[in-house]
Amino acid sequence: MENNNIKKALDKITLSEENNQRVLESILRHNGKKGRFNRAKLLRVAVIAAVLVFFIGGSTVYAVMISRGELIFSGSNPKVPEKKTDFSVVFDDSLKIPMSEIKGEVNECREQIRKQVENYDMFSSQSPHTVDKLFSDYKDAVSYVGLDRTIIPAPNHLTGETIVRIEGNDAGDLELISIENEYYKSELLTATAYTYIYTDRYPLEVSIGATSYSDGFEGVDFYGESVSVEGKEFWVVSSTPFSDEWLGKVVVFKQDGIIYQLFVRYKEVETEKVEKIVSEWMNAF
Amino acid sequence: MRTNAEMTEIYKRNQAILYKICYLYMKNSHDAEDILTETFCKLIDRAPAFDSFEHEKAWLIRVATNLCKNQLKSWWRRHEDLEDYKELIGTEDQEDQYSELLNALMCLPDKYKTVVVLYYYEGYKSEEISGIIGKPASTIRNYLCEARIILRKYIEGSEYGE
């Protein structure tokens, strides 16, 4: 096997000129908008469920603006730009929680992350900036984090193994803590519950989102809106069927600076059950 | 903060190698582009100073590799099969020995991928790779040797290796 053959094989992996330009433009936009949300804070207006439609680079972007957050739908499939293959809920910096408010044993991970960075091994399966902890009980996971105002949604569902993922920076500052639990599982329906705690050390915009587009699949449409339940606002995003006929639904809620998310995949026959599960989860807050 | 002109130069210097590494990990162009973008966003947000272009490249490779690993563990990734690299390989009629080799490269365990790209594509020696990624040169040589064995076995099992 000649070395040159491997080089020629790797030559097949190239970014098209069009996509190369798009990526560069995206990077330069980011370079130009540092501090965007600081400016936004000055201009913030509580626009509730005002729907804006505008066009960027030929792709359609729909944004549902809600105070201190935006639900944005966009199309990244260049062949079908009108298809809303992506969504994200973007929050502003007010969501970030001072690291000092996190009192639990999770702080032990700061030293662990510092050591992992010092003994950096990029070929391990674990990023040096990440620590995963497993708990058999969701309540134990929440106690471990030690942010008292964390809500445990519908605890009767949260019976399986819980994963706490801690992400930090080189100095060991905690940037993001996520708690993940298998909320419900049957043959035609899986629901996973997430809790996200972004700290004031998190360097990027806070957002929750997903894309359904890849070069091998044109993507599905996401659609959704904000829903008010007993005066509380939830972002509810659904998908049209994927190629395997499974559907997706994501519900996002924020309270006291903490983001909660329920991610559901299901077959259409389970739609009624999904509505019940989602409703139960929403009512737990 | 770097100017747009400076960022453009950094991007042009490193885009090709970073995209190949991201693609080998993510196995689809969409995720690879996203990670490529995020890597440079990290550069913008953290604004590290570099001693040299090699230092700059090493930093970007480390960030991109870690972002790939994190993304592979993310919730959406675990629920969806997003691989599209078969499109690069082409249809049966279009397949050639490089397609088969690319397929083998995609199937390599993750820990070998960056080393293979740096050695075979960028032409670095194992000592230089050691300096870039902070592993002993002997480990790099072991990784290369193990990767070659895996690739050879894969190719020998294919029609092009027979």
Side-chain angles (χ1 to χ4, degrees), chain A:
Chain A
M1 185 169 48
E2 293 177 20
N3 294 357
N4 202 34
N5 287 352
I6 294 180
K7 187 172 188 304
K8 284 182 177 171
L10 288 168
D11 272 334
K12 284 178 173 278
I13 304 174
T14 55
L15 199 52
S16 70
E17 186 54 43
E18 182 187 357
N19 289 355
N20 190 32
Q21 192 59 34
R22 183 163 50 78
V23 169
L24 177 58
E25 285 170 3
S26 174
I27 291 164
L28 296 182
R29 272 200 303 276
H30 187 81
N31 199 36
K33 74 173 184 183
K34 279 191 74 177
R36 168 187 155 196
F37 276 112
N38 290 333
R39 290 195 296 277
K41 277 178 192 169
L42 300 173
L43 300 170
R44 186 181 305 134
V45 180
V47 181
I48 308 296
V51 179
L52 304 180
V53 181
F54 51 97
F55 297 89
I56 295 176
S59 67
T60 311
V61 178
Y62 299 84
V64 179
M65 289 191 63
I66 298 163
S67 58
R68 297 185 181 183
E70 290 176 72
L71 171 58
I72 298 171
F73 296 99
S74 58
S76 56
N77 183 344
K79 291 177 186 167
V80 198
E82 70 278 10
K83 202 173 187 66
K84 298 187 286 294
T85 56
D86 302 43
F87 80 89
S88 57
V89 183
V90 182
F91 302 94
D92 68 19
D93 283 351
S94 68
L95 197 80
K96 294 178 179 175
I97 292 171
M99 199 172 67
S100 57
E101 289 186 27
I102 296 165
K103 306 284 190 191
E105 288 178 48
V106 71
N107 282 294
E108 71 188 7
C109 295
R110 297 175 65 180
E111 181 61 20
Q112 186 175 341
I113 289 170
R114 268 196 296 270
K115 283 183 178 167
Q116 286 179 177
V117 170
E118 276 175 21
N119 304 312
Y120 179 64
D121 177 3
M122 73 177 296
F123 298 104
S124 79
S125 59
Q126 180 76 40
S127 155
H129 297 102
T130 305
V131 175
D132 287 340
K133 298 277 183 184
L134 290 180
F135 295 86
S136 56
D137 189 291
Y138 196 90
K139 287 178 186 169
D140 290 342
V142 171
S143 296
Y144 178 76
V145 174
L147 185 63
D148 291 342
R149 58 180 184 271
T150 309
I151 294 169
I152 301 177
N156 57 318
H157 275 299
L158 301 165
T159 52
E161 193 173 66
T162 299
I163 303 168
V164 177
R165 170 164 297 165
I166 303 104
E167 295 179 26
N169 60 22
D170 288 359
D173 296 333
L174 305 182
E175 294 181 342
L176 168 62
I177 301 167
S178 57
I179 306 172
E180 172 187 337
N181 182 275
E182 189 177 86
Y183 188 82
Y184 184 90
K185 185 167 182 139
S186 68
E187 192 181 345
L188 300 177
L189 195 169
T190 64
T192 313
Y194 299 85
T195 299
Y196 296 106
I197 298 165
Y198 287 87
T199 78
D200 54 1
R201 309 304 163 92
Y202 186 76
L204 305 175
E205 284 179 358
V206 175
S207 68
I208 300 287
T211 181
S212 62
Y213 165 69
S214 67
D215 281 357
F217 179 57
E218 71 169 20
V220 299
D221 275 305
F222 286 115
Y223 59 94
E225 58 188 351
S226 78
V227 173
S228 181
V229 177
E230 295 181 1
K232 293 177 176 173
E233 283 180 311
F234 295 82
W235 289 272
V236 182
V237 177
S238 303
S239 80
T240 52
F242 281 77
S243 53
D244 58 6
E245 296 181 350
W246 282 69
L247 295 150
K249 186 181 284 288
V250 180
V251 190
V252 180
F253 176 65
K254 72 175 176 67
Q255 182 159 295
D256 295 331
I258 302 170
I259 300 174
Y260 302 90
Q261 177 188 258
L262 187 67
F263 173 67
V264 188
R265 290 195 77 226
Y266 63 102
K267 284 286 185 77
E268 190 176 6
V269 68
E270 292 284 24
T271 301
E272 198 174 318
K273 178 77 176 170
V274 170
E275 296 306 320
K276 186 169 179 286
I277 286 173
V278 167
S279 173
E280 195 176 36
W281 184 81
M282 290 163 112
N283 282 314
F285 294 100

Side-chain angles (χ1 to χ4, degrees), chain A residues 115-124 128, chain B residues 54-55 57-63 65-66 69 111 114-115 118 124-141 143:
Chain A
K115 283 183 178 167
Q116 286 179 177
V117 170
E118 276 175 21
N119 304 312
Y120 179 64
D121 177 3
M122 73 177 296
F123 298 104
S124 79
Chain B
E54 291 309 307
H55 184 199
K57 180 185 287 185
W59 189 92
L60 289 166
I61 288 171
R62 280 201 293 269
V63 170
T65 305
N66 285 330
K69 288 175 182 172
K111 67 178 184 177
T114 306
V115 166
L118 291 175
Y124 284 113
K125 294 173 183 166
S126 52
E127 288 77 11
E128 292 169 319
I129 299 173
S130 166
I132 291 173
I133 61 179
K135 293 285 287 184
S138 57
T139 305
I140 303 299
R141 284 192 286 273
Y143 279 141

